Amino acid sequence: MSRLDSVIRRLRAQRACLNMAQGLVAGIPGPLLELGLGNGRTFDHLRSLFPDREIFVFDRQVAAHPDCVPDDKHMIIGDIRETLPAALSRIGAPAALAHADIGTGDPAVNAEIAVFLGRALPGLMAPGALILADRSLAMTGWKELGLPSGVRRGRYFVYRRT
Amino acid sequence: MSRLDSVIRRLRAQRACLNMAQGLVAGIPGPLLELGLGNGRTFDHLRSLFPDREIFVFDRQVAAHPDCVPDDKHMIIGDIRETLPAALSRIGAPAALAHADIGTGDPAVNAEIAVFLGRALPGLMAPGALILADRSLAMTGWKELGLPSGVRRGRYFVYRRT
């Protein structure tokens, strides 16, 4: 499998999980959280799925296509290890959905971020909320859901607050 | 259609065309040319399809994953408008396949590059060679081939020297 194969597989898994989430959070009020703006593609997909929701995006810097950058109110710039724990007042209400695709090329950093997210994210989330992530998160009081058709177990992770 | 949908569609079209090219150039000797290393995904796919071919890669700079960077002999750094016209001696023989996915965010620059490639690339290519591109190229003596199943006309371009 080439890296081209791999990225196609990863992006399709990501899209399938986001699309599945659209229905699953329909009855859950609250904004959405996107951790990592990157080039803005996933943010663009989220806003197409959830045109009536506020979406708050966290990233170290803004490097996305200008069409895919949230306004200043919804773009929270900085290291998520600092911005996320303090975010509840900024986002205004517990979130219905968080999506975290922030893997770096460094496995040690990825593992550290996963530990951080497992601790910091739940405090921002509403009852019944979903967390989607490109890696496994250790959280109590959350159930790992089955993945959409065509997405192999372990390729993406969908958690629901029980 | 979101930008996430759009990139998945583009990468799948690219992969389908590259995979089709594998069979079509089986009988054509010569190295391969990859215009634009980017993050190295397409280069990685090309070398998986063509493990016995030399692949020369052209880009302004090297910004790929370290695993996806060709050796110094095969990495030609610089503006292709300067490096490409002089490349025949460097690549050693006319190429069997060239792949050009070098679109920028600027339509005027893209149009200019397409004109340049249509003029400069054919001089580097073997009889029967293929050129794959993410945009239309104006070349005489080349036939536009049908696209693989699932790839809509106009999404990618495959040309064969007649």
Side-chain angles (χ1 to χ4, degrees):
Chain A
M1 166 158 316
S2 73
R3 282 180 180 265
L4 180 60
D5 293 320
S6 174
V7 71
I8 291 171
R9 196 178 67 169
R10 187 173 67 78
L11 294 176
R12 294 185 76 192
Q14 180 181 82
R15 178 175 62 178
C17 292
L18 293 169
N19 292 353
M20 180 176 83
Q22 185 187 30
L24 291 174
V25 303
I28 316 287
L32 314 184
L33 309 182
E34 165 75 337
L35 306 187
L37 177 62
N39 52 36
R41 288 191 296 241
T42 315
F43 169 64
D44 192 45
H45 198 71
L46 274 174
R47 68 184 175 183
S48 79
L49 290 175
F50 300 96
D52 300 324
R53 300 260 193 175
E54 283 196 289
I55 307 175
F56 292 91
V57 182
F58 298 73
D59 207 334
R60 246 178 253 271
Q61 73 274 317
V62 174
H65 191 284
D67 289 348
C68 297
V69 177
D71 60 32
D72 289 351
K73 179 187 172 192
H74 295 91
M75 183 72 229
I76 300 171
I77 297 175
D79 187 322
I80 54 166
R81 285 168 292 195
E82 294 167 13
T83 58
L84 204 60
L88 192 51
S89 62
R90 175 85 178 256
I91 68 176
L97 169 70
H99 173 247
D101 174 22
I102 52 177
T104 68
D106 183 333
V109 171
N110 293 346
E112 188 195 323
I113 292 174
V115 169
F116 166 76
L117 290 180
R119 287 178 184 154
L121 258 185
L124 300 172
M125 307 302 295
L130 289 189
I131 295 177
L132 276 56
D134 64 339
R135 61 204 64 237
S136 167
L137 303 180
M139 302 181 293
T140 55
W142 291 73
K143 181 189 174 198
E144 187 176 344
L145 302 188
L147 295 169
S149 166
V151 181
R152 206 175 53 193
R153 188 172 164 81
R155 193 169 291 165
Y156 232 78
F157 298 86
V158 180
Y159 299 97
R160 177 156 228 162
R161 172 160 261 164
T162 53
Chain B
M1 166 159 316
S2 72
R3 282 181 180 264
L4 180 60
D5 293 320
S6 174
V7 71
I8 291 171
R9 197 178 68 169
R10 187 175 67 78
L11 293 176
R12 294 185 76 193
Q14 181 181 81
R15 178 174 63 178
C17 291
L18 292 169
N19 291 352
M20 180 176 82
Q22 184 187 32
L24 291 174
V25 303
I28 316 287
L32 314 184
L33 309 183
E34 165 74 339
L35 306 187
L37 177 62
N39 52 36
R41 288 191 297 239
T42 316
F43 168 63
D44 192 45
H45 197 71
L46 274 173
R47 67 183 175 182
S48 78
L49 290 175
F50 300 97
D52 300 324
R53 300 261 192 173
E54 283 196 290
I55 307 175
F56 291 90
V57 182
F58 298 73
D59 208 333
R60 247 179 252 271
Q61 74 274 318
V62 173
H65 190 283
D67 289 348
C68 297
V69 178
D71 61 32
D72 289 352
K73 180 187 171 191
H74 295 92
M75 183 71 229
I76 300 172
I77 297 175
D79 187 321
I80 55 166
R81 287 169 290 197
E82 293 168 13
T83 57
L84 204 61
L88 193 52
S89 63
R90 175 85 177 255
I91 68 176
L97 170 69
H99 173 246
D101 173 23
I102 52 177
T104 69
D106 183 334
V109 170
N110 292 346
E112 188 196 322
I113 292 175
V115 169
F116 166 76
L117 289 180
R119 289 177 183 153
L121 259 184
L124 300 172
M125 307 304 293
L130 290 190
I131 295 177
L132 275 58
D134 64 338
R135 61 204 63 238
S136 166
L137 303 179
M139 303 181 291
T140 55
W142 291 73
K143 181 188 173 198
E144 188 176 342
L145 303 188
L147 294 169
S149 166
V151 181
R152 206 175 55 192
R153 188 171 162 81
R155 193 169 291 164
Y156 232 77
F157 298 86
V158 180
Y159 300 97
R160 178 156 228 162
R161 172 160 261 162
T162 55

